Amino acid sequence: MISAAETATKAVYIGLGSNLGDATRNVQQALVLLDKMPLTRLEVHSSLFLTAPVEASGENYVNAVARIQTSLQPEELLRELHHIEREFGRDRPYRNAPRTMDLDILLYGLQQIQSDSLTVPHPRLTKRAFALIPLLQIDPFITIPGAGPAHAFAADVADQEIQRMGT
Ligand code: ATP
Ligand code: CA
Ligand code: CA
């Protein structure tokens, strides 16, 4: 039977990225930590992908997308994600700086959110191969609220370097 708490959960997609330190290990560890967040379980995650930095300098990134089920409200979830980022020693010296861990809320159920601290769906999701391609790997037919079927944007990012890793 589905409990009352279970019916209140939302399918939420988290984008993970690291290009500082042992990026592969960082992403693998972050996936474990997502599952340990309160009121949350990790349902599925994409392969890990190696991608060239976009609008940024530094090493290549390791990226992935995870689908979680959570009863956390969007702002609570953002706080938990920042907490995990801090566990990796993430700091923000300047925009698009290399980072040990970046956790973005790509989609939160079917909700569209616009607040001081959150824009969901993530406004650059459809423009970034490193977010869009892993998302499509786990849910090829997903629709982005306000934008339409995600696969329609794949052609727009086809020129961006992205390579599926063996892990
Ligand atoms: P980008 O948004 O281009 O991916 P970034 O991830 O490098 O940039 P950060 O420095 O990690 O940017 O985050 C800056 C702020 O973005 C966060 O403190 C948060 O309040 C805000 N933010 C807005 N929308 C989102 C979202 N969907 N997911 C995560 N953070 C968001
Ligand atoms: Ca980001
Ligand atoms: Ca971020």
Side-chain angles (χ1 to χ4, degrees):
M1 199 163 93
I2 298 174
S3 69
E6 186 80 6
T7 55
T9 69
K10 293 265 171 26
V12 175
Y13 294 79
I14 306 293
L16 300 91
S18 173
N19 77 333
L20 209 56
D22 187 338
T24 299
R25 191 177 147 84
N26 290 347
V27 171
Q28 286 167 339
Q29 284 185 341
L31 288 167
V32 173
L33 294 177
L34 288 181
D35 192 50
K36 291 187 173 160
M37 291 191 300
L39 304 175
T40 301
R41 65 189 153 84
L42 175 69
E43 279 198 321
V44 65
H45 66 80
S46 71
S47 302
L48 272 52
F49 290 82
L50 202 57
T51 68
V54 177
E55 296 172 22
S57 57
E59 299 292 314
N60 285 335
Y61 272 81
V62 175
N63 289 105
V65 169
R67 186 176 73 225
I68 60 174
Q69 283 286 339
T70 189
S71 315
L72 294 172
Q73 292 305 304
E75 298 287 348
E76 296 173 325
L77 174 60
L78 183 66
R79 267 198 301 280
E80 291 291 333
L81 297 178
H82 283 166
H83 182 72
I84 295 175
E85 288 178 351
R86 280 197 299 277
E87 290 195 23
F88 288 91
R90 164 88 189 260
D91 59 359
R92 292 179 161 78
Y94 55 90
R95 186 170 148 71
N96 291 340
R99 66 278 305 267
T100 47
M101 185 49 56
D102 184 40
L103 298 169
D104 290 345
I105 302 173
L106 302 179
L107 301 171
Y108 185 97
L110 297 175
Q111 288 191 32
Q112 293 180 265
I113 304 163
Q114 185 76 62
S115 73
D116 286 349
S117 57
L118 269 181
T119 305
V120 179
H122 193 286
R124 288 166 283 286
L125 167 59
T126 59
K127 299 181 179 68
R128 294 173 165 174
F130 66 77
L132 188 68
I133 300 304
L135 175 69
L136 287 170
Q137 187 195 29
I138 54 177
D139 274 312
F141 301 109
I142 190 145
T143 291
I144 301 172
H151 64 74
F153 298 93
D156 298 347
V157 303
D159 59 333
Q160 296 176 28
E161 287 175 54
I162 178 164
Q163 187 187 336
R164 193 162 66 83
M165 298 172 72
T167 49

